[in-house]
Amino acid sequence: MSDESSSGLARVPRALRFCAVGVGLGVASMALLPVLLLLAALCLLGVGLFLLPVGLRVLARLADVARRETDRFTGRPTPEVPRAAGQRLAESLGDPVTWRDLRWLPTSMVAGTTLGVLGLGVAVTPLVALVATGFWWVFPEDEPMRMLAGQPVDSWGSAGLLGGTTLVLAVVLAVVVPVAAASLLGWINRVLLHPGERERLAARVDTLRATRSGAVSAHDAELRRIERDLHDGTQARLVSIAMHLGLAERRLGDDPQAVGELVAKARAGAEDAMVELREVLRQMYPPILSDRGLPGALASVASDCAVPTELSVGELGEVPDPVEAAVYFVVVEALTNAAKHSGASLVTVAVSRQGRSLRAEIRDDGAGGVVEGAGTGIVGMRRRVEALDGRLRIDSPLGGPTTVLVDCPCEW
């Protein structure tokens, strides 16, 4: 069997599942549409102003399920424009996503139910044809069972010929029709539920504006940190070296032994200054990345972590330096948080190449409950990742586990 045939047959179970989802969402739409119409009418009495937002949130849940299942069936996820954060009716009605949901609702009621039932119904026709062929003799002789353009089935020979032909046709239809029905339903859902090109571009501009602002803030914070480190550490060391050398110069002719001690202190200060300067540079771009690459650098970090850490690194290919640095710092920060705050007994780190993106997942079995902005460094992690057009997701319910997932594009 060819690869195309295999992939076509592999789509049938997914198509049947999507048809079943379409039927379920269609029935739910039948129930929800009159409720929303009633709540809209009650807005004239004032009661609907408080109840309609609840109905719209239920609609949003259904529409989100349809989006997710459509993306899963088609295999072509589309970036969604975020919903309005408000809970009031005016904010919901001012959100373009709500209006897409509303235009999808009656279509789901009709198209979802019809196409879903069609796909599922045709899928069982081979079984119906097989059962009918085996029980042709149940029909009376004067009114025999008929197949294929009304041809009568009155013997086992005709049952085998007509029934076999019908079964073959039913199998072909059971393969083709559900996939076609599901594909049409998926196309309808994408047209109605997914944002248009202009809306996606507007959302993209808003995202780029926010990430640019975050990148500028992160850059300013990084410059201030470097300036503080150099001023409080390296600069103080250099001042101390200058003072010792100045004193040594004054005592050069009077007390050679004291000059030797002062020069030794200056040399020690110079060594300390080089160590501190090296540490500042290491935080800008860790030399270990240049020396060992990302896999070796992560292996070193994992081995030094206070919590037992399991590291898995796949074939990464060519990764830009900024992406390597961002993923490295996220892993370091996540491991530091796990060691300090989570009480975890095990951390797993998985880094892999997913198409054009580099993905890292850090998971610990600790207490969870991580709150962004509570001094855990997540804000800095997010800014560093989003500055590269990447995404950072934190899942940390109370009781754990905590999962940090970062995706950074490797091509711009």
Side-chain angles (χ1 to χ4, degrees):
M1 182 179 293
S2 66
D3 292 340
E4 293 184 0
S5 300
S6 300
S7 61
L9 292 176
R11 293 193 68 190
V12 175
R14 293 194 294 122
L16 293 175
R17 181 183 183 279
F18 189 55
C19 287
V21 171
V23 173
L25 291 175
V27 173
S29 300
M30 290 182 190
L32 183 59
L33 181 58
V35 173
L36 290 179
L37 293 175
L38 176 61
L39 294 178
L42 289 177
C43 287
L44 299 176
L45 302 177
V47 180
L49 297 176
F50 303 97
L51 297 179
L52 185 56
V54 178
L56 292 177
R57 287 197 290 272
V58 175
L59 171 61
R61 295 289 183 87
L62 287 179
D64 287 341
V65 171
R67 288 186 182 90
R68 185 170 60 251
E69 294 296 332
T70 299
D71 291 345
R72 180 176 179 178
F73 171 70
T74 60
R76 294 187 296 125
T78 300
E80 181 55 57
V81 177
R83 293 184 181 275
Q87 301 293 321
R88 292 182 299 179
L89 180 60
E91 294 169 333
S92 297
L93 294 180
D95 187 1
V97 182
T98 300
W99 290 103
R100 290 204 302 271
D101 296 346
L102 287 171
R103 74 183 182 183
W104 164 81
L105 184 63
T107 306
S108 171
M109 184 178 65
V110 178
T113 306
T114 302
L115 293 174
V117 170
L118 175 63
L120 295 175
V122 173
V124 300
T125 53
L127 180 61
V128 174
L130 186 62
V131 172
T133 301
F135 287 88
W136 66 270
W137 47 270
V138 175
F139 291 81
E141 293 184 2
D142 54 341
E143 294 184 5
M145 181 181 67
R146 297 182 179 275
M147 291 184 174
L148 291 180
Q151 295 296 320
V153 179
D154 51 11
S155 65
W156 284 109
S158 60
L161 178 61
L162 297 175
T165 305
T166 302
L167 180 61
V168 171
L169 292 176
V171 169
V172 172
L173 291 176
V175 172
V176 174
V177 173
V179 174
S183 299
L184 179 57
L185 180 58
W187 178 80
I188 293 174
N189 285 349
R190 290 185 67 87
V191 169
L192 296 178
L193 288 174
H194 288 74
E197 186 66 25
R198 179 178 298 179
E199 193 173 351
R200 287 200 298 269
L201 287 176
R204 179 64 175 157
V205 169
D206 292 339
T207 300
L208 290 175
R209 186 181 295 115
T211 55
R212 183 186 64 180
S213 176
V216 171
S217 300
H219 179 68
D220 291 342
E222 188 73 6
L223 287 179
R224 288 194 296 270
R225 182 192 63 77
I226 294 173
E227 181 182 7
R228 183 177 63 252
D229 291 345
L230 292 177
H231 180 273
D232 297 342
T234 307
Q235 181 176 332
R237 299 285 185 187
L238 294 176
V239 170
S240 177
I241 293 171
M243 291 177 59
H244 285 101
L245 291 177
L247 291 174
E249 184 181 8
R250 293 178 184 178
R251 297 185 181 183
L252 185 59
D254 301 334
D255 192 354
Q257 184 177 358
V259 170
E261 294 177 357
L262 291 172
V263 171
K265 291 181 179 180
R267 184 185 63 184
E271 292 175 352
D272 292 339
M274 285 189 294
V275 170
E276 291 180 354
L277 184 58
R278 192 179 299 115
E279 183 64 25
V280 172
L281 295 175
R282 182 179 293 111
Q283 294 178 10
M284 296 172 61
Y285 186 83
I288 193 172
L289 286 176
S290 300
D291 297 339
R292 304 187 189 178
L294 185 58
L298 294 179
S300 177
V301 172
S303 63
D304 293 339
C305 183
V307 181
T309 303
E310 295 180 356
L311 175 66
S312 172
V313 181
E315 180 62 37
L316 303 183
E318 185 176 354
V319 180
D321 290 345
V323 175
E324 279 192 339
V327 172
Y328 173 81
F329 282 117
V330 168
V331 173
V332 170
E333 188 68 36
L335 292 180
T336 302
N337 289 340
K340 287 184 177 180
H341 310 295
S342 71
S345 60
L346 178 66
V347 182
T348 59
V349 180
V351 182
S352 61
R353 185 70 175 261
Q354 304 289 331
R356 298 182 177 181
S357 297
L358 184 67
R359 171 172 295 183
E361 182 178 9
I362 307 96
R363 181 184 179 93
D364 68 65
D365 58 358
V370 174
V371 178
E372 186 167 348
T376 54
I378 297 177
V379 173
M381 294 160 60
R382 186 176 300 281
R383 285 177 175 174
R384 186 183 291 272
V385 170
E386 290 182 349
L388 301 175
D389 203 18
R391 294 183 300 167
L392 179 75
R393 295 192 293 274
I394 310 291
D395 182 20
S396 183
L398 286 175
T402 295
T403 302
V404 179
L405 183 64
V406 55
D407 278 294
C408 279
C410 295
E411 298 178 8
W412 298 306

